[in-house]
Amino acid sequence: MKTTKIVQRILANYEGETPGVKANLARILMNGRLGGTGKMIILPVDQGFEHGPARSFAPNTPAYDPHYHYQLAIDAGLNAYAAPLGMIEAGADSFAGQIPTILKVNSANSLIPGDAPKTQAITASVDDALRLGCSAIGFTVYPGSSAALDMFGDIAEMRKEAAAKGVATVIWSYPRGEALDKDGETAIDIAAYAAQIAALLGAHIIKIKLSTDHLSLSEAKKVYQAEGVDIATQAARVRHCVQSAFDGRRLMVFSGGAAKGVDAVFDDARAIRDGGGNGSIIGRNSFQRDKADALAMLGKLVDIYRGKA
């Protein structure tokens, strides 16, 4: 597999990593229609665990079948497909070698009492990722939760094992928990903090949410105002989050969130592109659409990240 100069420059930022980890990052970065550009679109399908099957798949019933998601990611020319253990296992043999996969190794669900600490259970292992031919593991942390320190400890150990075995690590860094109100979960100062935490935990790819211009922490707000940090536009906020993850030395993708109109999806992608982000990890906004519509939308997203739309 050849790598482009863009990908080689990205891999050079991971100075402490093994050749195995870099090879798996290269597989993701070189795959699909954005291969070699340094941009990525990843299909994540962990919503069945998080939200339940009907909320996830009833809007497009073929999506109940795990093979549907593998094929969607392949047909759309995406960089990778991410899912929990059962989903990956259900198609690992049929689609072996056709698309890089990311094994989501922890999960939560909507049946947990609302007043319980926000956390996730570890549901798969690094050895599962190796057995299934995955390029990376994916792990969610919840900065802002009283359980966050335990989650940080869990991924620190799992990331160490994964790196030793040549598997890359993707960290979903989602502010959530008792320390945050609803506005705080998407505030720019919290989003940038979440990106920094993921980078410091050793994430090779960081996944965060797009943020608002709200400032949640009083001490941080003073600094943002005193230093004139630009957070006026979505592109500026993306740029600040990228800066917060080692000044762009770590790959960063942004989640698509709940299903919305295609124009909003495209606007988000342009902001991510213009702000220096590496791409989108977009689930419900793709697999809840009819496949033809999803392919058309994903195709335009590729064009946006290529600077053609």
Side-chain angles (χ1 to χ4, degrees):
M1 177 183 63
K2 292 184 178 180
T3 55
T4 62
K5 289 183 178 179
I6 292 172
V7 170
Q8 290 167 14
R9 286 197 296 269
I10 290 170
L11 295 178
N13 289 326
Y14 295 85
E15 298 185 29
E17 287 311 327
T18 63
V21 167
K22 289 190 175 186
N24 274 314
L25 286 174
R27 289 186 184 101
I28 294 171
L29 286 164
M30 291 302 299
N31 194 72
R33 295 177 60 195
L34 288 170
T37 66
K39 302 297 183 183
M40 298 182 288
I41 302 175
I42 297 170
L43 175 67
V45 191
D46 57 344
Q47 292 82 0
F49 220 137
E50 301 292 327
H51 306 298
R55 287 175 61 191
S56 301
F57 308 127
N60 178 33
T61 55
Y64 280 103
D65 183 350
H67 283 212
Y68 177 87
H69 303 285
Y70 273 97
Q71 198 64 58
L72 176 62
I74 293 165
D75 291 348
L78 304 189
N79 294 79
Y81 164 54
L85 180 65
M87 294 281 281
I88 295 289
E89 282 189 331
D93 184 56
S94 296
F95 297 96
Q98 296 184 52
I99 180 102
T101 51
I102 299 166
L103 177 61
K104 186 67 166 54
V105 295
N106 70 337
S107 293
N109 69 84
S110 297
L111 301 177
I112 297 170
D115 58 355
K118 302 300 182 185
T119 190
Q120 296 208 353
I122 294 175
T123 56
S125 68
V126 175
D127 283 341
D128 287 322
L130 288 170
R131 172 175 60 86
L132 296 167
C134 299
S135 295
I137 58 168
F139 193 100
T140 295
V141 296
Y142 290 145
S145 170
S146 59
L149 296 183
D150 289 336
M151 301 181 84
F152 297 164
D154 288 341
I155 186 51
E157 287 300 313
M158 191 170 285
R159 182 235 181 255
K160 179 179 178 181
E161 179 188 358
K165 295 177 178 178
V167 176
T169 295
V170 184
I171 292 182
W172 278 238
S173 195
Y174 281 4
R176 188 174 299 168
E178 302 93 326
L180 302 173
D181 58 17
K182 203 65 180 175
D183 289 337
E185 291 182 359
T186 54
I188 178 58
D189 56 327
I190 303 294
Y193 201 165
Q196 171 79 181
I197 286 170
L200 292 170
L201 286 169
H204 302 109
I205 301 173
I206 297 165
K207 177 190 177 187
I208 63 171
K209 295 180 179 180
L210 288 168
S211 60
T212 68
D213 61 1
H214 178 66
L215 293 167
S216 181
L217 302 173
S218 59
E219 292 303 312
K221 185 175 183 178
K222 295 175 186 176
V223 176
Y224 276 81
Q225 293 175 339
E227 301 301 329
V229 179
D230 183 7
I231 57 172
T233 65
Q234 190 63 263
R237 295 191 290 275
V238 167
R239 189 174 298 109
H240 179 57
C241 289
V242 170
Q243 182 185 43
S244 298
F246 300 166
D247 203 18
R249 288 181 176 271
R250 292 295 177 264
L251 292 159
M252 184 178 296
V253 294
F254 293 80
S255 65
K260 52 194 170 188
V262 291
D263 288 343
V265 174
F266 299 150
D267 287 344
D268 286 348
R270 292 187 184 98
I272 294 165
R273 177 197 65 194
D274 295 346
N278 295 99
S280 301
I281 180 162
I282 182 165
R284 284 171 287 179
N285 278 294
S286 53
F287 67 72
Q288 287 188 345
R289 286 180 161 84
D290 173 86
K291 188 172 184 180
D293 292 339
L295 290 173
M297 183 196 71
L298 292 166
K300 185 165 181 178
L301 286 176
V302 168
D303 289 341
I304 288 170
Y305 283 121
R306 285 186 168 275
K308 297 179 179 180

